[in-house]
Amino acid sequence: MSKLSKEVQNKIVDLYNKKHGSPYIAKELGISTGKVSYFIKKNLTPRSHREANSRYSFNENFFESIDTEEKAYWLGFLIADGYITKRENSYKIGVALSSCDIGHLEKLNKSLNSNYPIRTYEATKNSYSNNNYSRLIYSSKIMFDNLLKYNFVEHKTNILNPPDVNLLNGFTSDFIRGYFDGNGSIAHTNTELNNSYAFKLVSTKNFLDFVNNYIKEKLGFSANKYYKRKDYQEVMSLEFGGNLKTQKILDLLYKNATIYLDRKYQRYLDLCNLNNSRALEKSKA
């Protein structure tokens, strides 16, 4: 790691003493967050947990009831990609994404009226991915307890159950869209002979049953089976192929939506444009 100039070091100390975090300081000085964090760790007194969190606030009651598209969406997204932890009197709600999706964490902060910092970390040699990642962690017993009402539990990967649909108050599509943006994919195969899209969603059988039944209720079709990538895993995949069928499902989730993961929404629009162009060509034939 290259040595920081004395001028940069002094600026880091000044900004840190003004209660700014590493991402903010790095952006202000045009250097990496890792360099700032390393300098602070080696040269400055770390802030206590209480001191660090006392400066931040957000709407802790956001998930008290699900009565808007926004709340339903973020509930689904956090259940898919987030986590909750309880350690003695510490209650945490966190989510980490590839840094290419940091804008989505900024959307989350805006929805929650939050000034909690989004911290970015450089990938290490032992990382699961080679991509840098960004993380947002809230501290709140109120939000922790509210999330439990919707079956958002610790270590949820292999035991996840869907929330009571009555608690979603008619915002089921928005909830599923949030979960899909976190744990789903719009697979795209584009070759000389084939330009096709497919819907895929990974979760537990109970959660996939919830989504599959909703699709059947709204669209009149459903998947007959789920797919396991590995026999010993509890999680499995709900899949639908065919461009028209895939668009029908995505229309159910994304049409008229105001909040979504931008890159996934763009792929949905690409599918819509492909289907529209093929329909136009067919009508001219």
Side-chain angles (χ1 to χ4, degrees):
M1 182 176 291
S2 59
K3 189 174 181 180
L4 299 173
S5 69
K6 190 65 176 178
E7 180 184 3
V8 170
Q9 291 180 31
N10 290 337
K11 288 181 178 179
I12 292 175
V13 173
D14 180 59
L15 290 170
Y16 185 77
N17 288 336
K18 290 178 180 177
K19 307 302 183 183
H20 291 297
S22 296
Y24 176 89
I25 297 173
K27 185 176 181 180
E28 285 293 301
L29 301 183
I31 57 180
S32 73
T33 303
K35 287 184 178 180
V36 175
S37 299
Y38 182 81
F39 176 82
I40 291 172
K41 182 178 179 181
K42 289 293 184 181
N43 299 281
L44 301 176
T45 302
R47 300 183 181 115
S48 68
H49 175 75
R50 176 172 294 183
E51 180 186 9
N53 284 304
S54 65
R55 297 175 294 116
Y56 306 126
S57 63
F58 73 112
N59 182 2
E60 297 179 85
N61 297 301
F62 188 77
F63 294 115
E64 183 175 0
S65 63
I66 303 302
D67 50 15
T68 67
E69 171 198 356
E70 198 173 22
K71 293 180 181 180
Y73 175 86
W74 287 121
L75 175 64
F77 187 81
L78 286 176
I79 288 178
D81 248 359
Y83 59 90
I84 59 175
T85 60
K86 175 186 175 182
R87 299 292 182 272
E88 296 181 350
N89 292 321
S90 176
Y91 298 83
K92 302 293 185 184
I93 302 95
V95 58
L97 302 178
S98 170
S99 291
C100 67
D101 290 327
I102 192 172
H104 208 55
L105 296 182
E106 292 169 351
K107 288 184 184 181
L108 174 59
N109 252 351
K110 184 177 180 180
S111 291
L112 271 62
N113 295 318
S114 164
N115 66 347
Y116 269 76
I118 300 170
R119 305 191 188 281
T120 297
Y121 303 87
E122 296 179 356
T124 65
K125 292 182 179 179
N126 296 324
S127 297
Y128 176 76
S129 169
N130 292 324
N131 298 323
N132 294 346
Y133 67 97
S134 298
R135 186 169 65 189
L136 184 55
I137 300 178
Y138 301 110
S139 179
S140 170
K141 184 179 187 302
I142 293 173
M143 180 176 281
F144 182 96
D145 289 341
N146 279 333
L147 289 173
L148 292 179
K149 297 186 302 187
Y150 310 105
N151 292 328
F152 189 174
V153 296
E154 294 186 73
H155 313 299
K156 59 184 167 51
T157 302
N158 294 315
I159 60 172
L160 180 64
N161 285 307
D164 182 339
V165 70
N166 294 317
L167 295 177
L168 299 178
N169 294 311
F171 294 97
T172 304
S173 287
D174 304 301
F175 169 77
I176 294 175
R177 181 175 70 259
Y179 191 88
F180 179 75
D181 275 355
N183 259 3
S185 64
I186 305 172
H188 184 206
T189 301
N190 191 5
T191 66
E192 291 183 7
L193 301 177
N194 184 28
N195 190 0
S196 63
Y197 290 78
F199 173 97
K200 297 183 179 182
L201 182 66
V202 175
S203 192
T204 61
K205 181 180 184 304
N206 286 345
F207 197 94
L208 294 182
D209 283 343
F210 169 78
V211 176
N212 200 25
N213 290 336
Y214 184 74
I215 291 172
K216 184 176 183 179
E217 174 191 344
K218 296 296 182 180
L219 301 177
F221 60 82
S222 60
N224 294 322
K225 66 176 182 177
Y226 308 139
Y227 300 89
K228 278 192 176 184
R229 288 176 293 180
K230 297 179 180 178
D231 290 338
Y232 64 84
Q233 291 182 332
E234 292 295 325
V235 295
M236 49 191 69
S237 177
L238 168 65
E239 301 180 10
F240 291 92
N243 288 357
L244 294 179
K245 182 176 287 188
T246 298
Q247 184 181 334
K248 286 182 179 180
I249 299 171
L250 297 177
D251 282 343
L252 182 63
L253 302 184
Y254 287 103
K255 195 171 185 179
N256 300 321
T258 63
I259 186 166
Y260 37 73
L261 185 63
D262 291 340
R263 61 178 172 81
K264 202 160 286 187
Y265 183 74
Q266 183 57 54
R267 180 158 287 192
Y268 158 65
L269 294 181
D270 292 342
L271 170 59
C272 293
N273 291 334
L274 175 64
N275 284 339
N276 289 340
S277 63
R278 285 180 171 176
L280 182 61
E281 291 174 3
K282 188 175 182 180
S283 68
K284 291 180 179 178

